[in-house]
Amino acid sequence: MILFLGRKLAGLVATVAVASLVIFGALYLAPGDPAALLAGGHQPNPAALAEIRARYHLDDPFLLQYWHWLSGLLTGDPGTSMVLKEPVTGLIAARLPTTGLLVAYASLLILILGVASGIFAGVAGKVVDGVLTVTTTVLMAAPAFVAAILLIWVFATKLSWFPVYGSGTGFLDRIHHLTLPALALSGGYLAYVSRITRTEVRAELTSDHVAAARVRGLPRRHVLRRHVLRNAAPPILAVSGVTVAGLFAGTAVAEQAFGVSGLGSLLVQSAARQDMVVVQAIALLLVAIFVLVNTLVDVLNAVLDPRLLRERT
């Protein structure tokens, strides 16, 4: 187990390190000149332009610029926003709880409704299975922004059950405000987890050990819990982990559509303003969260199924 954890930790660090270089390099090669934008647009003041370039090391060679940025990250100082003139850590800290709550809300919907509907479809008859299959197909085909528009039109405009804009104040009010964004964010992922769960449950129901359990006269509930769900859990958990990790990258659409002040909306706004210091920090943070969640899921899978641990060591 120690060797397994060490390899996972090394892989996590290596992935984040490579991602940092890719993110910085991509933004370095991106068209546009943030210094000219900050100094005054098409005809900036030369003195102001030189001062901005010196402050943000924009005239340094690529590797030197990357080192300045990386060393700041390693010391806990990713820099100051080029547009808002505020520390990036403060901007992220102010919005991270909202995004975390939105992702947690969407994750609960995915794990509870997705897994439950998948199990139901796997053990139910053809009619129920067909209805759930059609429903999940529609959900998987609908992009998040389309789902957001429909949810706003039905539940906010027509029924007035939920607010259209903002993050709310206080826990219950925040949950009320984040319900529609969470539904828009989780719809496609929920359908995907449901499909995978259904497939795994169906496969286990036709396995030899389940047939043997039935022959021994074990109750249906016992067979489902001890023989079907236990063996179907690792692949379902793996898919669910990747899905939950991917929610952080998908928050931008939901947060922009519903005016939620989270990391996703800050990322979109910063990219539009060419505030590259903020974009770099948030992009790397989202990658790090994605890799960390996947690593934790791999470890949990290895704990639940020691065979995976033996295979990977």
Side-chain angles (χ1 to χ4, degrees):
M1 175 61 78
I2 295 178
L3 179 60
F4 176 77
L5 292 176
R7 290 171 57 183
K8 284 297 178 182
L9 181 60
L12 187 153
V13 173
T15 302
V16 174
V18 172
S20 70
L21 183 59
V22 172
I23 290 170
F24 189 89
L27 294 176
Y28 178 84
L29 297 174
D33 186 358
L37 181 66
L38 294 176
H42 297 292
Q43 295 180 335
N45 183 286
L49 187 62
E51 193 274 334
I52 291 172
R53 289 187 176 279
R55 184 192 312 166
Y56 294 103
H57 308 283
L58 297 178
D59 287 330
D60 292 342
F62 170 76
L63 290 179
L64 187 57
Q65 289 188 41
Y66 174 69
W67 171 248
H68 281 301
W69 178 65
L70 184 61
S71 60
L73 288 176
L74 295 176
T75 57
D77 181 18
T80 302
S81 169
M82 302 172 72
V83 177
L84 302 176
K85 309 299 182 185
E86 297 181 29
V88 176
T89 52
L91 293 173
I92 292 176
R95 293 180 177 239
L96 184 58
T98 299
T99 297
L101 182 58
L102 173 59
V103 170
Y105 195 172
S107 299
L108 286 177
L109 294 176
I110 291 170
L111 296 178
I112 295 175
L113 299 181
V115 174
S117 63
I119 294 173
F120 190 44
V123 300
K126 292 184 178 180
V127 175
V128 174
D129 183 29
V131 171
L132 290 175
T133 299
V134 172
T135 303
T136 55
T137 300
V138 173
L139 289 175
M140 291 178 66
F145 70 91
V146 174
I149 294 172
L150 292 176
L151 289 170
I152 290 173
W153 179 63
V154 175
F155 294 103
T157 304
K158 296 294 184 181
L159 299 176
S160 299
W161 288 358
F162 298 98
V164 180
Y165 189 86
S167 306
T169 57
F171 180 75
L172 293 180
D173 189 43
R174 288 165 73 86
I175 292 296
H176 189 216
H177 277 76
L178 293 178
T179 296
L180 293 185
L183 288 172
L185 180 61
S186 64
Y189 295 108
L190 186 155
Y192 179 63
V193 170
S194 178
R195 283 289 190 91
I196 296 298
T197 302
R198 171 190 174 277
T199 301
E200 294 297 329
V201 169
R202 282 288 178 91
E204 290 298 327
L205 285 173
T206 58
S207 61
D208 294 336
H209 66 91
V210 171
R214 286 172 171 170
V215 169
R216 293 201 305 270
L218 295 177
R220 177 182 173 85
R221 180 180 300 178
H222 181 85
V223 172
L224 183 63
R225 184 178 70 253
R226 297 292 300 275
H227 295 273
V228 176
L229 297 183
R230 174 177 290 183
N231 288 280
I236 294 173
L237 178 62
V239 171
S240 299
V242 174
T243 299
V244 170
L247 288 175
F248 282 93
T251 55
V253 175
E255 290 179 357
Q256 280 290 98
F258 293 93
V260 177
S261 298
L263 288 181
S265 59
L266 179 61
L267 178 62
V268 173
Q269 294 162 10
S270 300
R273 295 188 292 244
Q274 294 189 349
D275 196 349
M276 297 309 166
V277 177
V278 179
V279 173
Q280 290 165 346
I282 295 178
L284 184 60
L285 176 61
L286 295 179
V287 171
I289 292 174
F290 181 87
V291 177
L292 177 61
V293 172
N294 277 287
T295 301
L296 293 176
V297 170
D298 285 344
V299 173
L300 183 57
N301 258 332
V303 172
L304 294 176
D305 189 355
R307 293 174 299 177
L308 298 175
L309 185 62
R310 290 193 295 270
E311 291 173 1
R312 297 179 184 184
T313 56

